[in-house]
């Protein structure tokens, strides 16, 4: 499928963020969670979360990392405030019953597809956005319709691939930790389909480079963006 040039439907402003090793890996062998962020970067990410209406991850990350996706207010030195809505992209309903995202401690949306048979607890808002997998171009306007204006996308590799390739994002920040992971099974920043022609590359513009503790944060914007409609 070609990459659409514009999306008439409204969507949230989308900020993609991840932490990677110097060789561009999101985790250790087989996807085992890696603690890549420095303390300074953790604080930066908590600030991003605190200003987001929702944080989106893929079901692969739920299964591997079981994150709570809450704001760690203690790292910000602030009393507990609101927790952003958690959005899990789960096309076939694989989110484990005991996953922390299903613990009811924050508003949670499971974005799924028509092929999923699963029912989720009543505390979870389920939306269907796609036939066999979740279509990002369908999902983002639905999230907008639910009042989500600032969406943070945290990964993992397949989700980053889908979001970056659809160009439906406004900013990408990557914290590069001064470590090398290597190997054949550690997930890269972006997986998904092969890129076979230069026009399929996702072209970015580097707009900032900032030292962050022991590592650095690179900030990019898409060159061929699908901007948020006014
Ligand atoms: N360093 C970091 O900043 C960071 C952040 C997050 C995660 N991670 C790491 O990333 C790894 C997990 O990444 P992952 O690639 O395995 O999983 P993922 O990207 O978290 O989730 C991918 C899954 O989402 C579902 N999905 C449904 N619609 C999709 C769509 N349109 N595009 C993409 N996925 C869709 C698919 O499962 P179904 O087919 O079943 O629907 C797919 O297998 C873990 O190792 C985790 O530690 C690292």
């Amino acid at each position: 499928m070609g990459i659409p040039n514009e999306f008439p439907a409204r969507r949230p402003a989308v900020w993609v963020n991840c932490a990677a090793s110097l060789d561009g890996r999101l985790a250790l062998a087989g996807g085992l969670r890696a603690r890549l962020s420095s303390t300074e970067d953790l604080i930066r990410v908590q600030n991003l979360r605190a200003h987001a209406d929702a944080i989106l991850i893929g079901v692969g990350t739920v299964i591997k990392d079981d994150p709570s996706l809450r704001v760690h207010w203690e790292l910000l030195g602030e009393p507990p405030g609101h927790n952003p809505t958690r959005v899990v992209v789960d096309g076939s309903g694989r989110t484990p019953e005991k996953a922390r995202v299903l613990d009811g401690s924050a508003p949670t949306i499971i974005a799924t597809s028509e092929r999923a048979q699963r029912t989720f607890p009543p505390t979870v808002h389920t939306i269907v956005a796609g036939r066999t997998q979740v279509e990002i171009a369908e999902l983002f306007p639905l999230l907008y319709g639910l009042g989500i204006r600032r969406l943070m996308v945290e990964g993992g590799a397949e989700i980053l691939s889908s979001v970056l390739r659809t160009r439906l994002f406004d900013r990408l920040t990557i914290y590069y930790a001064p470590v090398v992971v290597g190997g054949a099974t550690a997930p890269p920043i972006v997986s998904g389909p092969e890129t076979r022609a230069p026009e399929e590359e996702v072209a970015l513009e580097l707009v900032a480079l900032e030292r962050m503790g022991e590592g650095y944060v690179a900030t990019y914007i898409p060159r061929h963006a699908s901007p948020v409609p006014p």
Side-chain angles (χ1 to χ4, degrees):
M1 196 185 81
I3 294 155
N5 289 322
E6 58 180 22
F7 286 81
R10 290 189 145 205
R11 67 165 175 86
V14 176
W15 189 316
V16 180
N17 181 76
C18 66
S21 63
L22 269 192
D23 55 323
R25 309 303 183 100
L26 290 180
L28 305 181
L32 192 67
R33 185 177 204 167
R35 296 210 177 272
L36 294 164
S37 285
S38 61
T39 306
E40 293 83 351
D41 190 56
L42 280 177
I43 292 169
R44 180 188 67 85
V45 173
Q46 297 315 307
N47 255 313
L48 287 181
R49 284 186 175 185
H51 291 97
D53 296 319
I55 305 170
L56 180 148
I57 56 170
V59 65
T61 299
V62 173
I63 291 167
K64 287 283 182 198
D65 298 357
D66 193 20
S68 69
L69 298 184
R70 72 180 180 91
V71 180
H72 295 266
W73 295 98
E74 67 282 4
L75 284 175
L76 298 176
E78 291 179 30
H82 92 294
N83 274 317
T85 297
R86 309 180 282 201
V87 180
V88 177
V89 177
D90 181 2
S92 52
R94 293 193 285 138
T95 300
E97 269 176 36
K98 298 253 183 279
R100 292 166 82 188
V101 290
L102 298 183
D103 65 8
S105 65
T108 303
I109 295 170
I110 303 277
T112 192
S113 74
E114 287 172 20
R115 84 179 147 112
Q117 301 294 315
R118 173 84 179 275
T119 51
F120 289 98
T123 50
V124 169
H125 187 100
T126 308
I127 52 180
V128 176
R131 286 200 53 215
T132 56
Q133 69 157 21
V134 176
E135 298 296 339
I136 297 297
E138 281 182 41
L139 173 61
F140 283 2
L142 291 175
L143 295 179
Y144 185 93
L146 292 171
I148 293 167
R149 298 290 180 270
R150 287 163 302 178
L151 176 68
M152 193 177 166
V153 174
E154 292 201 5
E158 288 185 49
I159 288 298
L160 295 183
S161 169
S162 291
V163 173
L164 296 184
R165 287 172 203 272
T166 52
R167 275 70 167 174
L168 292 175
F169 68 103
D170 306 286
R171 190 164 288 253
L172 164 68
T173 43
I174 304 176
Y175 171 78
Y176 286 97
V179 295
V180 171
V181 170
T185 62
I189 295 174
V190 174
S191 58
E194 303 293 342
T195 297
R196 300 192 188 279
E199 60 272 19
E200 293 174 5
E201 293 171 353
V202 181
L204 302 163
E205 180 184 344
L206 178 69
V207 293
L209 204 50
E210 187 186 353
R211 176 133 194 168
M212 192 66 57
E214 294 188 335
Y216 67 93
V217 173
T219 303
Y220 303 89
I221 57 172
R223 278 197 193 273
H224 308 290
S226 298
V228 182

